[in-house]
Amino acid sequence: MSAETPAVVAGQFTRRRLQFRAWRGTRPFWAGLFVLLSGFPVIYFPYFNLQVGHLTLAMSTTAGAGSLIIGVLLVVLGISLWFQQHVRTFAGVAAILLGLVSLPVANFGGFLMGFLLALVGGAMAVAWVPGVPPQPEPAQGVVPGEGGAPEAVREPAPEVALVKDTDGVSESNDLSGTSPVNGANGRQSAG
């Protein structure tokens, strides 16, 4: 081993972590994880035997095959949410319905753990939408207008008519008090 090996491994770990973060950000990752995890209690509890001293308490019911099917479908829906984002609405609704069906079929939906995970994960999958890519930057050759606004967006200055008095002095006919000529510059004065 060389002295550079830990740095290379640390750099690789950081690179892999950033790749995973980028992959996770483009899909309903947490919804898929919740739906995937909801299948395990639904599958496990109907086949679970609890030992209390020398007494064996069997949790298995006649609906063992039904809970196995529901649990496997929930796991498959969770994986499909990760790798096929376009089925997120279908997978979310199906996870919610399977979670509801698991209540009477699979020991109260895996003692409510699988049921609640399926409901939360399904709702998150239905609500998830892909992000919008960032808008391209404006060209560097564009000359900004006043205040940094582009020329096309800037509002034109209001037309101010000049009225000549009998003395021959020109006065502004602007009654709004916002003309750049009188120095108000958009500010209103109270007095």
Side-chain angles (χ1 to χ4, degrees):
M1 273 183 98
S2 69
E4 297 175 5
T5 303
V8 171
V9 172
Q12 240 181 4
F13 176 75
T14 303
R15 185 171 44 95
R16 296 284 185 202
R17 185 178 53 85
L18 292 175
Q19 285 175 345
F20 176 70
R21 182 184 291 176
W23 176 82
R24 189 183 68 197
T26 60
R27 60 200 73 244
F29 176 78
W30 294 107
L33 183 67
F34 285 161
V35 171
L36 178 99
L37 292 177
S38 72
F40 293 120
V42 172
I43 292 171
Y44 181 71
F45 285 125
Y47 299 104
F48 175 65
N49 291 330
L50 179 64
Q51 292 281 348
V52 180
H54 293 291
L55 180 65
T56 302
L57 183 63
M59 305 294 282
S60 61
T61 62
T62 58
S67 62
L68 181 66
I69 291 170
I70 290 171
V72 168
L73 284 174
L74 284 170
V75 169
V76 168
L77 285 172
I79 291 171
S80 70
L81 280 170
W82 284 347
F83 295 106
Q84 297 179 354
Q85 303 88 303
H86 60 278
V87 297
R88 67 185 182 277
T89 305
F90 168 75
V93 171
I96 291 171
L97 291 176
L98 285 172
L100 289 171
V101 168
S102 74
L103 279 174
V105 172
N107 291 341
F108 295 110
F111 293 115
L112 296 178
M113 288 186 290
F115 165 71
L116 291 175
L117 284 170
L119 253 55
V120 170
M124 288 172 70
V126 170
W128 185 83
V129 291
V132 178
Q135 296 295 327
E137 295 290 325
Q140 297 295 335
V142 176
V143 178
E146 198 172 317
E151 289 293 327
V153 178
R154 191 178 64 175
E155 294 180 21
E159 295 288 328
V160 178
L162 296 177
V163 178
K164 290 193 176 185
D165 274 351
T166 55
D167 300 337
V169 178
S170 299
E171 284 188 21
S172 171
N173 195 17
D174 181 24
L175 299 177
S176 68
T178 60
S179 173
V181 175
N182 63 11
N185 210 14
R187 297 181 303 269
Q188 301 291 329
S189 64

